[in-house]
């Protein structure tokens, strides 16, 4: 499983990927808290096209955390293959789920805890069976890969589908379907990973004294990366403002990882020399992560805790149903879009702020 840079590179990439997941998972919580504070103050919301979040310090703190996480992620891609770094993004889902239950009052039930465990196990399996990418040691070899007809076709499909989602599906379904904006972030994100990989190679060449600054490819990759990240930030803000964090984060991870796997397989030919057991292991690990994230999300509103487990061993169901109804009255419908019920969302935000100030 050694990366292109050997075992030291593997451990450096692994450590950077873990740090990246921690910072990115925390950034979702800070951004959401900032957006909820804007709702309480009656400001124009990101989901309605507003940009008042630019004046909210909590949002900027979240952006700073995401910037640190993305920088660590950037460095991780320079030291390790994309198929080693990307699956560890599942840990950001776990960090976000744990922190949201603490700071956003989003309950994590038994299903969610099992989902977190499955996601961690799936990530471990994917790391063990990570495919080895082809050697890309210079910008010249990177340029040759970018000229590959398969990658060009993939990039065109990503751009066309993103434009359709932004200008056709967005105005019609963006407020009611979480997939619209998250698909935009995921598709564009797959291209940003390619830019990050190329810039990592450029930085390595620059540190070795090569005249990288005179080569246009490095600057082109930098401009493309800035554009891709800007688009991701904009539409991720829209998704977070309209839908619950526990809904956006796992779906974004699954779609983003799938897009990166496809892009890496086409651009770096990572799967070309893999043996069958590693292929099965990679696919199985990814499906395990998907199953874990499904449990984390699909049963989020089910008031099922460890205290209710003994009730399943009893023959009478009356107490069980009464307990579920009682707990259900205290549980919010977290998967509904926030914008249609804006007044209720602001009221709950006010309560969260009071609780946050009393801590």
């Amino acid at each position: 499983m050694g990366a292109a840079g050997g075992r030291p590179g593997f451990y450096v990439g692994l450590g950077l990927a873990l740090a990246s997941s921690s910072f990115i998972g925390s950034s979702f919580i800070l951004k959401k808290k900032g957006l909820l504070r804007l709702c309480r103050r009656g400001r124009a919301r990101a989901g309605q096209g507003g940009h008042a979040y630019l004046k909210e310090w909590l949002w900027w703190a979240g952006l700073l955390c995401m910037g640190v996480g993305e920088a660590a992620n950037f460095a991780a891609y320079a030291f390790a293959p994309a198929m080693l770094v990307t699956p560890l993004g599942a840990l950001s889902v776990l960090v976000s789920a744990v922190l949201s239950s603490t700071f956003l009052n989003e309950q994590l039930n038994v299903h969610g805890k099992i989902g977190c465990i499955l996601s961690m196990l799936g990530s471990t399996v994917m790391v063990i069976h990570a495919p080895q990418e082809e050697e890309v040691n210079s910008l010249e070899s990177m340029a040759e890969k970018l000229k590959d007809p398969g990658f060009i076709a993939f990039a065109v499909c990503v751009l066309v589908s993103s434009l359709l989602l932004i200008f056709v599906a967005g105005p019609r379904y963006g407020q009611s379907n979480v997939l619209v904006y998250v698909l935009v972030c995921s598709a564009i994100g797959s291209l940003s990973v390619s830019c990050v990989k190329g810039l990592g190679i450029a930085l390595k060449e620059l540190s070795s004294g090569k005249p990288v600054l005179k080569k246009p490819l490095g600057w082109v990759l930098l401009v493309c990366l800035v554009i891709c990240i800007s688009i991701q930030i904009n539409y991720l803000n829209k998704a977070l403002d309209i839908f619950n964090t526990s809904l956006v984060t796992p779906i974004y991870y699954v779609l983003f990882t799938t897009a990166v796997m496809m892009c890496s397989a086409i651009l770096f030919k990572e799967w070309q020399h893999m043996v069958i057991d590693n292929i099965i292991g990679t696919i199985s690990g990814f499906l395990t992560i998907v199953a874990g994230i499904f449990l984390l999300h699909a049963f989020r509103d089910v008031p099922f805790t460890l205290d209710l487990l003994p009730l399943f061993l009893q023959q009478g169901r009356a107490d069980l149903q009464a307990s579920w109804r009682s707990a259900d009255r205290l549980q919010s419908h977290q998967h509904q879009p926030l914008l249609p019920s804006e007044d209720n969302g602001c009221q709950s935000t006010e309560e969260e702020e009071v609780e946050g100030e009393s801590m």
Side-chain angles (χ1 to χ4, degrees):
M1 190 182 55
R7 298 302 297 181
F10 166 76
Y11 289 118
V12 171
L14 178 62
L16 290 171
L18 293 175
S20 171
S21 297
S22 300
F23 279 106
I24 292 176
S26 302
S27 72
F28 282 103
I29 307 304
L30 291 172
K31 283 185 175 182
K32 185 66 177 183
K33 289 287 288 185
L35 294 172
L36 289 175
R37 286 179 60 149
L38 290 176
C39 171
R40 180 176 63 86
R41 296 170 185 171
R43 302 289 184 88
R45 305 178 64 177
Q48 296 174 327
H51 295 86
Y53 56 83
L54 296 175
K55 299 180 180 180
E56 175 57 51
W57 72 269
L58 269 177
W59 185 87
W60 282 106
L63 183 63
L64 178 62
C65 279
M66 177 165 282
V68 173
E70 292 296 344
N73 198 49
F74 180 98
Y77 280 112
F79 285 96
M83 285 299 296
L84 172 66
V85 178
T86 305
L88 294 180
L91 298 180
S92 66
V93 178
L94 309 186
V95 172
S96 178
V98 172
L99 292 181
S100 63
S101 65
T102 303
F103 297 104
L104 297 179
N105 297 324
E106 300 176 5
Q107 300 301 318
L108 189 63
N109 56 16
V110 174
H111 302 88
K113 294 174 182 177
I114 295 175
C116 290
I117 295 174
L118 287 176
S119 297
M120 294 179 64
L121 292 176
S123 297
T124 303
V125 172
M126 286 197 71
V127 169
I128 293 174
H129 296 280
Q132 300 301 302
E133 64 187 12
E134 289 184 349
E135 293 290 339
V136 182
N137 297 320
S138 64
L139 286 180
E140 287 76 10
S141 59
M142 184 70 183
E144 291 298 324
K145 290 183 176 299
L146 291 174
K147 294 177 184 178
D148 184 78
F151 177 75
I152 294 176
F154 174 80
V156 170
C157 292
V158 167
L159 294 176
V160 171
S161 60
S162 298
L163 290 174
L164 290 176
L165 286 169
I166 292 172
F167 295 107
V168 179
R172 296 181 181 180
Y173 309 109
Q175 304 295 321
S176 59
N177 193 328
V178 67
L179 292 178
V180 176
Y181 294 141
V182 175
L183 276 172
V184 175
C185 297
S186 303
I188 297 298
S190 65
L191 298 181
S192 68
V193 168
S194 302
C195 297
V196 166
K197 192 70 176 179
L199 288 175
I201 296 171
L203 289 177
K204 284 185 176 181
E205 289 190 338
L206 182 62
S207 63
S208 62
K210 296 183 179 180
V212 177
L213 299 179
K214 297 181 180 180
K215 299 179 181 179
L217 179 59
W219 297 104
V220 171
L221 291 175
L222 180 60
V223 171
C224 292
L225 179 62
V226 172
I227 295 174
C228 290
I229 291 179
S230 300
I231 295 174
Q232 287 179 263
I233 290 176
N234 181 53
Y235 288 97
L236 184 59
N237 280 329
K238 289 180 179 290
L240 283 172
D241 192 41
I242 299 172
F243 300 96
N244 190 273
T245 310
S246 61
L247 176 64
V248 174
T249 308
I251 293 179
Y252 176 63
Y253 167 76
V254 172
L255 295 178
F256 174 73
T257 304
T258 303
V260 171
M261 288 172 62
M262 294 176 59
C263 182
S264 299
I266 295 173
L267 180 60
F268 298 111
K269 308 295 189 296
E270 293 178 340
W271 298 64
Q272 187 171 352
H273 303 292
M274 288 179 63
V275 295
I276 188 64
D277 58 340
N278 284 336
I279 295 177
I280 295 175
T282 300
I283 296 176
S284 299
F286 180 65
L287 292 179
T288 302
I289 296 174
V290 173
I293 292 179
F294 173 79
L295 287 176
L296 186 65
H297 158 62
F299 299 97
R300 182 77 181 187
D301 293 334
V302 177
F304 186 82
T305 62
L306 291 173
D307 296 335
L308 294 177
L309 282 176
L311 297 179
F312 280 94
L313 303 178
Q314 301 176 7
Q315 295 182 355
R317 297 292 181 176
D319 294 339
L320 175 61
Q321 295 175 358
S323 299
W324 276 49
R325 285 195 298 268
S326 175
D328 190 52
R329 284 195 294 268
L330 301 176
Q331 186 76 18
S332 61
H333 296 284
Q334 297 175 5
H335 289 179
Q336 295 179 355
L338 298 179
L339 286 178
S341 56
E342 192 166 345
D343 295 337
N344 293 336
C346 293
Q347 182 178 358
S348 63
T349 306
E350 232 172 15
E351 297 174 358
E352 290 178 5
E353 291 301 318
V354 172
E355 293 176 0
E357 294 171 359
S358 63
M359 291 178 60

